[in-house]
Amino acid sequence: MNDIEKLAEIVRNSHKIVFFGGAGVSTESGIPDFRSVDGLYNQQWKYPPETILSHTFFLTDTKEFYRFYRAKMLCLDAKPNAAHKKLAELEAECKLTAVVTQNIDGLHQAAGSKNVYELHGSVHRNYCMKCHKFYDAEFMLNSEGVPTCECGGTIKPDVVLYEEGLDDATVTGAIKSIAQADTLIIGGTSLNVYPAAGLINYFRGKNLVIINKSPTQADTSADLCISQNIGEVFSQI
């Protein structure tokens, strides 16, 4: 039995699957992982992404923050890939109970997933820092300079920047789902980003599956490791 067949059998025999995913799930939809610094990046930005995407930088150089944010983080033409679609199918079949994602692109919901815990927020939610009025991602993309509310306040994306804490309710829901799962599938993440990566320690179920092109720190505890693109794997089960 090969790895894909093993995964298919695990899925078949599971009733409470939770999927924990990272940037590798979205790169197959054409969304770049901002940590992979390319030549174009070096020409256009004077600071590393982790600096630009920090709470301090947002407050001190908001205009430059938004120049990077529009160019690198708002990929609104991206469509769900085979991984997003399969996860939505498994939820519809009552096999999968939750998706816990580090991504902010909303592609899981676009594919039809309902119970999604977005640990790092979403580009699709933006609020005025003064009056809290809601603005969608299209408004942010089409705005210029620093996006401003009609009340005069600055609009901030509902994404977790460096130096900011995760949303308590989201973390609580994610932990509860992972703790109750019989199978945890980790995909498209190297598990290097904390505190998000630490949530997998709450898993007490039967099957731990990791699908990632590079090794992760949880490989030694996994029941199955598949070193392939996650969309290719999910399209085969």
Side-chain angles (χ1 to χ4, degrees):
M1 188 184 292
N2 65 31
D3 287 347
I4 301 294
E5 290 167 342
K6 286 178 190 171
L7 176 60
E9 185 178 49
I10 288 172
V11 168
R12 200 161 43 244
N13 295 327
S14 300
H15 304 286
K16 287 187 175 180
I17 301 170
V18 168
F19 178 78
F20 182 96
V25 181
S26 295
T27 50
E28 292 178 58
S29 291
I31 294 180
D33 177 359
F34 72 82
R35 284 187 187 78
S36 47
V37 177
D38 52 38
L40 182 66
Y41 174 89
N42 288 323
Q43 293 166 29
Q44 289 190 7
W45 284 278
K46 295 181 289 186
Y47 308 96
E50 287 83 357
T51 300
I52 299 174
L53 294 173
S54 69
H55 181 78
T56 299
F57 195 92
F58 175 80
L59 295 178
T60 55
D61 198 345
T62 315
K63 190 173 181 180
E64 182 67 3
F65 169 90
Y66 272 113
R67 193 167 78 87
F68 179 87
Y69 183 78
R70 287 189 190 95
K72 287 282 188 179
M73 312 302 282
L74 290 178
C75 306
L76 304 188
D77 293 332
K79 299 286 189 285
N81 60 51
H84 298 106
K85 292 173 185 174
K86 177 58 71 174
L87 291 167
E89 279 176 33
L90 291 172
E91 184 183 32
E93 293 166 5
C94 297
K95 284 274 187 186
L96 181 136
T97 56
V99 169
V100 180
T101 180
Q102 299 173 82
N103 298 332
I104 59 175
D105 48 51
L107 289 179
H108 285 292
Q109 290 92 329
S113 288
K114 302 281 190 282
N115 195 29
V116 182
Y117 293 101
E118 296 173 304
L119 297 175
H120 296 152
S122 173
V123 299
H124 295 282
R125 299 187 299 269
N126 306 273
Y127 298 97
C128 171
M129 296 174 73
K130 191 173 176 183
C131 74
H132 307 296
K133 182 179 177 180
F134 170 86
Y135 290 88
D136 63 18
E138 285 75 14
F139 176 89
M140 302 299 278
L141 184 64
N142 296 321
S143 63
E144 294 181 3
V146 177
T148 305
C149 177
E150 52 197 29
C151 80
T154 297
I155 303 168
K156 183 178 184 292
D158 186 17
V159 300
V160 179
L161 302 176
Y162 289 96
E163 304 167 350
E164 295 179 345
L166 304 186
D167 176 70
D168 285 344
T170 304
V171 170
T172 301
I175 288 173
K176 187 176 179 184
S177 296
I178 290 170
Q180 293 175 347
D182 55 12
T183 294
L184 178 62
I185 301 175
I186 298 171
T189 173
S190 54
L191 297 174
N192 288 331
V193 177
Y194 283 84
L199 300 189
I200 68 166
N201 296 327
Y202 290 91
F203 178 62
R204 296 289 180 269
K206 187 179 179 184
N207 306 296
L208 177 61
V209 178
I210 297 177
I211 307 166
N212 199 54
K213 290 180 76 176
S214 57
T216 79
Q217 59 185 4
D219 287 2
T220 51
S221 339
D223 300 285
L224 177 63
C225 287
I226 302 177
S227 180
Q228 294 180 41
N229 285 334
I230 190 159
E232 292 173 13
V233 173
F234 274 123
S235 65
Q236 296 176 70
I237 64 168

